[in-house]
Amino acid sequence: MIAGCGYRFNGARGDSPFPSNLKTIAVNSAVNNTVITGIETELTNEMRREYSLGTAMKLVSDGADVSLKTVIGSYEDTPSAYRADGKELTRIGVLKVHTDLEKNQDRQILWKQDFSASYTYTVTDSIAGTLSNRRKAISQMIRDLTPRIHRSMYNNF
């Protein structure tokens, strides 16, 4: 009775929304267009970890059929709450990332999308404490973005 209904289940091992000739993917090092150093390395490492764990295409470092490129376009943070004495209590950071998937053979863009994530962090009485909290917030945003990018690439291809 179910056999003729037209429904099928996705997500089975080996299922891929991509053409069958695309079997390997390279995750290029992210480009950082912000003044915050090191976040490109963190994003690249997180993306490679994500794609090595759950992708229908095999992650390779050289000779891939397609390349995933990421650009950290901006990071902005603004005050979001104040203490009674007028000093900042929290700030909200917003990280914006552009991604595209390019076919290496002919440089055709197969997929592209912009993503953003935000996270609120605490402002302390010390600059070092506040910067540490900002760094933790950026790391959380990267951990939030990575699976969203991965899923979106597969869902929207």
Side-chain angles (χ1 to χ4, degrees):
M1 188 159 143
I2 294 178
C5 70
Y7 289 101
R8 71 184 187 104
F9 294 97
N10 284 331
R13 201 174 206 84
D15 274 2
S16 175
F18 302 105
S20 60
N21 63 328
L22 303 180
K23 297 187 184 323
T24 57
I25 185 170
V27 176
N28 293 0
S29 295
V31 175
N32 185 359
N33 290 337
T34 74
V35 296
I36 302 169
T37 59
I39 61 175
E40 71 282 358
T41 303
E42 187 175 353
L43 177 61
T44 299
N45 291 340
E46 193 66 23
M47 292 292 288
R48 287 178 178 158
R49 185 193 65 76
E50 177 75 20
Y51 278 79
S52 71
L53 293 175
T55 181
M57 287 188 277
K58 182 180 178 186
L59 179 67
V60 297
S61 55
D62 288 322
D65 299 322
V66 294
S67 293
L68 180 67
K69 299 177 180 183
T70 55
V71 176
I72 303 169
S74 66
Y75 173 79
E76 299 172 4
D77 63 8
T78 55
S80 60
Y82 293 91
R83 299 189 309 206
D85 62 3
K87 292 183 180 178
E88 291 179 29
L89 177 63
T90 60
R91 294 182 72 83
I92 187 164
V94 178
L95 185 67
K96 294 182 180 178
V97 175
H98 172 77
T99 59
D100 63 52
L101 185 69
E102 184 178 90
K103 198 170 158 187
N104 288 330
Q105 182 180 9
D106 58 8
R107 301 288 180 228
Q108 177 187 4
I109 302 295
L110 300 174
W111 170 85
K112 64 181 177 177
Q113 191 163 346
D114 294 327
F115 295 88
S116 66
S118 62
Y119 199 82
T120 302
Y121 64 93
T122 303
V123 175
T124 67
D125 290 331
S126 76
I127 293 173
T130 300
L131 289 176
S132 175
N133 289 346
R134 179 179 78 172
R135 188 62 186 188
K136 290 174 189 172
I138 290 170
S139 293
Q140 184 60 52
M141 287 183 262
I142 288 171
R143 286 190 302 273
D144 291 348
L145 280 173
T146 303
R148 286 179 40 214
I149 292 168
H150 190 199
R151 279 191 312 268
S152 181
M153 188 182 86
Y154 279 83
N155 291 338
N156 294 321
F157 186 78

